[in-house]
């Protein structure tokens, strides 16, 4: 293992850009050996002499009629399927090349996720331990919303440990189900943690446009709302909401000027066509998400999906690479399920375009990789932590660090009679 780890480190050091990396004016140097033939994204043998893009040319290479690394929102399902079904090593190579067009390949963001309201959720997501529908089978008791100071102290610890984005999750259908005081407490959490100069993300269920606006005023960086899977497979994941509900919330988030964080879960029992459908849905949103989390299902005893076979590492690599090819500027976040993957598995994900992880020993209710193990992995692979508010090419204005000052308590900023009422700002 030590020898393999050393080989991995040497290989990466030989291929990654130096620490002074910056996006090149022309990325063709990364593509001098990429095939431009119409079949370059198909499982067909290449001739000994392949027509390649000239390094002196101003044109990027293509596969078929598609420009590699181009920002598109008009992908067809067939095109996404062709990318997904590319032989794995060829797919990783192309994804790695595109990744280097827009990102520093050594830079990986470390994020921390905290469950601020655990259990008792009225939704029926068949993979989730927090649904009240099977709480007795899971053995998870509903807890109250955490107090402001406890959450703030957790964020302080995360920042001291090196995290630059703090994510908070609440087991709600949405803020509409809770009272005004609880909602304002969440807004205060966002504001106070933003005051630490950390990026702040929340996942609180379905949002109205008014609630999204309140979160933006509080200083929220990004809002996570995963699509989970394809539209066709979604009814097998939950019966308590529709796919359109997810898309409507993403629209509210975008319109509020908050960066969208939306991805999916691999291992829900879906097939390859559903994984293609998920990525196609994300890649054809009006704007590509700032962040695309790729989660591997962590099956929890007592949930309807407790017996699901976990996805393989190569399943995750293929999804990461396909996301990178179709959404070149988005941050692809290697999320839940990393505990089951080796260092070399994760290295291949980073090579394929993943550039974020969640660190800390817990993700909401499931175990995660220990922080010290991640630090050792960063050292072994020559990775460096992404600072807060490094420009997000696919982010909204909330991701650039210029959000309204978050140090003013939200009780002074927001005056509302109802959780979903309009926002009135009383302070500059």
């Amino acid at each position: 293992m030590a020898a393999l780890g050393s080989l991995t480190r040497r290989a990466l050091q030989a291929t990654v850009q130096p620490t002074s990396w910056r996006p090149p004016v022309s990325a063709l140097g990364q593509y001098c050996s990429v095939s431009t033939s119409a079949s370059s994204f198909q499982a067909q043998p290449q001739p000994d002499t392949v027509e390649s893009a000239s390094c002196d040319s101003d044109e990027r290479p293509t596969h078929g009629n598609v420009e590699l690394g181009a920002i598109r929102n008009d992908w067809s399902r067939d095109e996404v399927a062709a990318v997904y079904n590319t032989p794995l090593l060829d797919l990783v190579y192309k994804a790695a090349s595109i990744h280097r067009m827009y990102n520093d390949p050594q830079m990986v963001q470390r994020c921390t996720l905290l469950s601020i309201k655990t259990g008792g959720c009225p939704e029926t997501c068949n993979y989730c331990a927090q649904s009240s529908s099977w709480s007795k089978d899971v053995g998870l008791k509903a807890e109250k919303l955490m107090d402001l100071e406890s959450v703030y102290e957790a964020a302080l610890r995360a920042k001291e440990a090196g995290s630059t984005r703090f994510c908070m999750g609440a087991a709600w259908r949405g803020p509409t189900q809770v009272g005004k005081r609880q909602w304002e407490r969440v807004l205060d959490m966002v504001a106070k943690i933003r005051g630490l100069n950390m990026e702040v993300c929340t996942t609180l269920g379905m949002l109205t446009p008014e609630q999204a606006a309140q979160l933006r005023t509080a200083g929220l960086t990004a809002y996570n709302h995963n699509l989970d899977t394809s539209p066709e497979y979604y009814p097998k994941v939950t019966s308590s909401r529709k796919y359109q509900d997810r898309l409507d919330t993403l629209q509210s988030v975008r319109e509020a000027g908050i960066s969208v964080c939306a991805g999916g879960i691999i291992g829900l029992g879906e097939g390859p066509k559903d994984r293609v459908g998920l990525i196609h849905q994300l890649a054809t949103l009006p704007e590509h998400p700032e962040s695309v989390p790729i989660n591997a299902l962590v099956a929890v005893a007592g949930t309807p999906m407790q017996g699901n076979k976990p996805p393989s590492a190569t399943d995750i690599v293929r999804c990461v690479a396909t996301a990178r090819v179709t959404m070149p500027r988005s941050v692809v976040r290697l999320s839940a399920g990393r505990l089951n993957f080796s260092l070399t598995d994760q290295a291949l994900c980073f090579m394929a375009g993943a550039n974020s992880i969640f660190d800390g020993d817990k993700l909401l209710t499931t175990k995660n990789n220990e922080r010290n193990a991640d630090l050792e992995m960063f050292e072994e692979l020559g990775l460096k932590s992404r600072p807060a508010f490094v420009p997000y090419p696919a982010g909204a204005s909330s991701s650039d660090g210029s959000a309204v000052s978050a140090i003013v308590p939200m009780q002074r900023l927001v005056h509302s009679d109802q959780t979903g009422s309009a926002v009135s700002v009383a302070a500059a």
Side-chain angles (χ1 to χ4, degrees):
M1 178 61 73
L4 182 58
S6 298
L7 177 61
T8 302
R9 181 173 63 252
R10 288 196 299 270
L12 284 175
Q13 289 172 344
T15 57
V16 296
Q17 300 291 335
T19 55
S20 60
W21 182 96
R22 58 188 176 84
V25 174
S26 172
L28 289 174
Q30 304 292 338
Y31 280 91
C32 291
S33 61
V34 177
S35 169
T36 61
S37 67
S39 60
S40 66
F41 254 114
Q42 306 298 323
Q44 297 180 9
Q46 296 296 314
D48 293 336
T49 301
V50 178
E51 180 184 356
S52 300
S54 169
C55 291
D56 296 326
S57 171
D58 290 331
E59 297 181 358
R60 290 178 184 167
T62 62
H63 71 274
N65 295 321
V66 177
E67 180 184 344
L68 288 175
I71 307 304
R72 299 178 52 199
N73 300 80
D74 61 349
W75 290 90
S76 70
R77 274 216 184 189
D78 286 345
E79 287 176 323
V80 176
V83 174
Y84 182 88
N85 292 316
T86 301
L88 185 63
L89 295 182
D90 192 25
L91 173 58
V92 170
Y93 174 73
K94 288 181 169 66
S97 300
I98 292 171
H99 183 42
R100 283 154 175 73
M101 293 176 65
Y102 295 95
N103 304 285
D104 182 342
Q106 289 179 288
M107 189 175 287
V108 175
Q109 186 171 37
R110 294 165 55 201
C111 312
T112 296
L113 176 61
L114 176 68
S115 177
I116 60 174
K117 175 22 183 112
T118 302
C121 183
E123 300 279 28
T124 59
C125 303
N126 291 327
Y127 57 82
C128 186
Q130 302 198 65
S131 173
S132 58
S133 297
W134 35 82
S135 57
K136 292 183 179 179
D137 296 325
V138 173
L140 183 68
K141 293 183 179 180
E143 299 176 3
K144 294 181 179 180
L145 179 67
M146 293 178 64
D147 64 80
L148 174 60
E149 287 307 311
S150 295
V151 174
Y152 182 70
E153 290 170 4
L156 277 173
R157 291 193 297 271
K159 182 175 182 178
E160 290 170 357
S163 288
T164 57
R165 176 172 288 206
F166 192 76
C167 307
M168 296 177 284
W172 293 338
R173 178 174 172 82
T176 303
Q177 80 175 71
V178 303
K180 174 184 174 182
R181 289 184 179 180
Q182 290 189 67
W183 176 235
E184 290 187 343
R185 193 190 313 170
V186 171
L187 296 175
D188 279 345
M189 291 174 185
V190 171
K192 193 165 185 178
I193 296 168
R194 176 64 184 83
L196 293 173
N197 198 32
M198 294 186 79
E199 297 173 13
V200 187
C201 180
T202 57
T203 178
L204 310 169
M206 294 185 287
L207 292 182
T208 65
E210 293 78 15
Q211 291 159 356
Q214 289 175 307
L215 286 167
R216 177 68 177 100
T217 300
L220 189 70
T221 306
Y223 192 83
N224 169 257
H225 203 60
N226 289 332
L227 296 182
D228 292 344
T229 188
S230 69
E232 296 80 9
Y233 194 74
Y234 198 68
K236 296 184 179 180
V237 175
T238 182
S239 59
S240 57
R241 60 174 180 263
K242 304 297 183 184
Y243 207 79
Q244 188 60 47
D245 295 330
R246 312 298 279 180
L247 297 175
D248 290 345
T249 288
L250 294 184
Q251 181 177 347
S252 295
V253 170
R254 278 193 304 273
E255 291 177 349
I258 299 172
S259 288
V260 168
C261 175
I265 305 173
I266 309 304
L268 301 176
E270 80 289 342
K273 67 178 182 179
D274 296 304
R275 296 171 186 175
V276 168
L278 166 67
I279 296 172
H280 173 259
Q281 191 72 45
L282 294 167
T284 56
L285 289 172
E287 299 174 5
H288 289 166
E290 175 228 65
S291 303
V292 179
I294 302 295
N295 296 274
L297 177 68
V298 179
V300 178
T303 65
M305 291 187 174
Q306 63 180 354
N308 280 30
K309 180 182 177 181
S312 68
T314 53
D315 289 334
I316 299 301
V317 171
R318 188 172 291 279
C319 291
V320 166
T322 305
R324 174 55 66 212
V325 171
T326 56
M327 293 169 280
R329 299 185 303 175
S330 299
V331 173
V332 179
R333 301 188 183 272
L334 188 58
S335 301
R338 282 195 307 119
L339 196 58
N340 297 324
F341 301 143
S342 69
L343 182 148
T344 48
D345 292 335
Q346 294 177 75
L348 195 56
C349 288
F350 297 134
M351 182 67 72
N355 51 351
S356 172
I357 61 169
F358 284 102
D359 68 2
D361 59 2
K362 192 174 184 180
L363 293 179
L364 296 179
T365 63
T366 59
K367 292 182 179 179
N368 189 45
N369 306 58
E370 293 182 358
R371 185 168 277 123
N372 286 341
D374 283 336
L375 292 176
E376 292 175 2
M377 177 179 69
F378 270 52
E379 176 68 21
E380 182 72 10
L381 299 182
L383 303 176
K384 58 186 179 182
S385 295
R386 176 190 178 113
F389 299 111
V390 169
Y392 285 88
S397 59
S398 63
S399 290
D400 65 9
S402 64
V404 295
S405 175
I407 59 175
V408 181
M410 284 305 299
Q411 287 92 335
R412 302 177 191 174
L413 291 176
V414 179
H415 301 277
S416 59
D417 298 324
Q418 300 288 334
T419 298
S421 65
V423 180
S424 173
V425 179

